[in-house]
Amino acid sequence: MSKYLFEANYVGDGIKGLMREGGTKRRDALVDALESVGGSLECFYYAFGDTDVLGVFDVPGTAAAAALSLMINSTGNVDVRLRPLMTVEDLDEAAKKTPSYRAPGR
């Protein structure tokens, strides 16, 4: 499973829908969407400031994450951004690799 941080903002009718349905029903809608692609929700929070809602979920891979992002953003009611998360072990493994790269101008 791949773990993702999500950040989202309600837009236009999305705000009206949130006010009408409440936060619990919006979280439940995300749980249903995640289950439809074989994923699960780890945490879900509302916040003040630049981000309305954020949390973490697990999905089987990048295609499932992309499908969710496309589906949710296509409504025009929510602007969602996903960030893949890595474990410390993932970072340890990455640090062991030595990719070849030439910097611009060198």
Side-chain angles (χ1 to χ4, degrees):
M1 291 290 247
S2 299
K3 195 172 289 288
Y4 285 84
L5 168 71
F6 67 90
E7 299 174 286
N9 290 309
Y10 292 99
V11 181
D13 287 338
I15 297 167
K16 293 175 187 174
L18 172 63
M19 292 175 65
R20 186 175 51 253
E21 295 180 13
T24 304
K25 289 198 180 193
R26 297 316 315 148
R27 183 194 59 208
D28 294 346
L30 178 58
V31 167
D32 290 345
L34 286 163
E35 289 175 352
S36 75
V37 296
S40 62
L41 183 64
E42 183 175 307
C43 62
F44 183 101
Y45 293 97
Y46 283 96
F48 295 119
D50 295 341
T51 303
D52 295 331
V53 63
L54 55 97
V56 175
F57 63 73
D58 292 294
V59 289
T62 55
L68 282 167
S69 178
L70 290 168
M71 175 182 56
I72 293 168
N73 283 317
S74 73
T75 68
N77 293 343
V78 181
D79 176 25
V80 68
R81 294 162 311 284
L82 303 181
R83 298 175 195 264
L85 299 175
M86 297 181 295
T87 65
V88 294
E89 293 81 11
D90 292 335
L91 189 58
D92 289 347
E93 192 63 33
K96 293 175 187 173
K97 298 192 182 299
T98 54
S100 175
Y101 174 71
R102 183 186 60 79
R106 291 191 173 198

